[in-house]
Amino acid sequence: MIKMVITDIDGTLVEDGSKTLPAELVDTIVKLLDGGIRFVAASGRSQISTERLFEPVRERIYYATCNGTLMGSYRKPLFAEGLDRKLLEEILADVRTVKDTVPFLTGAGVMYADSDEEEVIRWLREGYQEDITRVADMGAMPDEFVKLSVYDKKHRSGETFRSFCEKWKGVVSLSTAGAMWLDIYKLGVNKGTATRWYQNYFGVTPEETLALGDQQNDVEMLRAAYHSYAVGNAISEAKQAARYVADTCENGGAFQVLGSLLEEK
């Protein structure tokens, strides 16, 4: 019996950059919650962006945002994994040398940018509904940061960051999120550790967990759940990590899987 659902958002549950959830998806989530199933939104998005997307049910669900570095419910942080400050400064200086990229720093309640790339910043604000604070030097801000995100203007993240990832592999966690992003966070922390954290928090087993994902940053999460689904548009690595492959995000694959849980009740 499924007692917890943990799902990626962009490219899995909804189209990348969606501002709202379809009404029928909200209805399904409500029915799952009413049926006693815990629902965890696991995303590379910030907490603020995720809460805004799930506005109709935001006070009833749980979050594993910034790729599993922040856990909590609406306005109630439960656990956070921050990056070492000195290490972050070194990595930020190095990533600034990668051409045609735009870095962003995210903390528990803030996202900073010190770039003049107005188009990218506007896209994040309007599409992902991110609250972005512009500063002269985000690395000088005193906040604790859980994630460094780097946008690739060429939309070839795997190629653009290949040598960078080789250099920092084993020092921090690195994962691409689609063709546009590289996410950098504390070593050993990912959506998989977040899944196991919630399993322990709720007293739920892997056999009672259902996970949905599509990208590299979903692989550990898929492996942490017995009932794991990669959507049809997922990368091969995610499909290999999952037990099942659903229909594509565009065709509502994740929605179909969630709906099947209601049919079992």
Side-chain angles (χ1 to χ4, degrees):
M1 178 181 176
I2 303 300
K3 295 183 179 180
M4 183 179 88
V5 168
I6 183 164
T7 179
D8 172 55
I9 298 175
D10 296 284
T12 299
L13 198 62
V14 294
E15 298 279 339
D16 191 42
S18 294
K19 295 181 182 180
T20 59
L21 298 178
E24 60 270 23
L25 178 56
V26 172
D27 183 59
T28 296
I29 293 173
V30 168
K31 289 177 179 177
L32 291 173
L33 293 168
D34 289 345
I37 295 177
R38 307 281 190 175
F39 189 96
V40 182
S43 178
R45 291 191 187 213
S46 71
Q47 185 80 10
I48 291 172
S49 172
T50 309
E51 287 179 353
R52 285 174 174 167
L53 177 66
F54 284 87
E55 194 275 334
V57 292
R58 66 184 180 184
E59 296 184 40
R60 298 189 63 188
I61 70 173
Y62 289 80
Y63 304 91
T65 53
C66 294
N67 284 334
T69 59
L70 285 173
M71 268 74 73
S73 55
Y74 181 61
R75 295 185 178 177
K76 183 184 176 182
L78 294 173
F79 188 68
E81 292 277 13
L83 281 159
D84 176 78
R85 191 66 187 211
K86 186 175 184 301
L87 178 60
L88 175 60
E89 292 172 0
E90 295 176 15
I91 295 172
L92 181 57
D94 194 21
V95 83
R96 290 189 194 277
T97 68
V98 183
K99 294 181 179 180
D100 297 317
T101 64
V102 186
F104 297 88
L105 278 174
T106 304
V110 66
M111 188 173 187
Y112 287 120
D114 55 17
S115 166
D116 58 2
E117 295 285 347
E118 294 292 345
E119 184 177 347
V120 177
I121 293 172
R122 183 171 61 252
W123 171 62
L124 286 172
R125 283 174 171 164
E126 296 177 0
Y128 289 87
Q129 302 182 82
E130 294 283 9
D131 279 346
I132 301 175
T133 300
R134 300 288 298 276
V135 294
D137 180 6
M138 60 186 182
M141 303 307 292
D143 307 71
E144 180 182 31
F145 295 108
V146 296
K147 187 180 70 161
L148 169 60
S149 302
V150 194
Y151 177 78
D152 176 18
K153 295 196 291 182
K154 300 188 296 296
H155 293 190
R156 297 198 300 267
S157 60
E159 177 184 336
T160 298
F161 299 111
R162 184 173 292 112
S163 60
F164 179 88
C165 289
E166 283 298 320
K167 177 178 179 179
W168 292 101
K169 182 178 180 181
V171 179
V172 287
S173 289
L174 307 109
S175 63
T176 55
M180 296 177 285
W181 292 100
L182 172 70
D183 290 333
I184 304 164
Y185 35 99
K186 186 175 179 179
L187 183 65
V189 178
N190 50 59
K191 292 184 185 181
T193 60
T195 302
R196 290 187 289 275
W197 190 91
Y198 273 115
Q199 286 168 341
N200 182 66
Y201 184 74
F202 295 134
V204 171
T205 67
E207 291 74 22
E208 296 169 326
T209 306
L210 185 149
L212 290 149
D214 75 313
Q215 289 294 331
Q216 184 185 37
N217 61 348
D218 298 318
V219 168
E220 291 89 354
M221 176 182 71
L222 293 169
R223 289 174 177 162
Y226 180 85
H227 304 275
S228 54
Y229 291 80
V231 288
N233 51 283
I235 63 171
S236 59
E237 190 177 355
K239 288 180 178 178
Q240 290 168 8
R243 189 174 296 272
Y244 309 104
V245 177
D247 206 339
T248 64
C249 174
E250 183 181 11
N251 290 337
F255 174 68
Q256 294 165 25
V257 172
L258 296 179
S260 69
L261 296 181
L262 299 178
E263 296 172 3
E264 295 173 4
K265 287 187 171 294

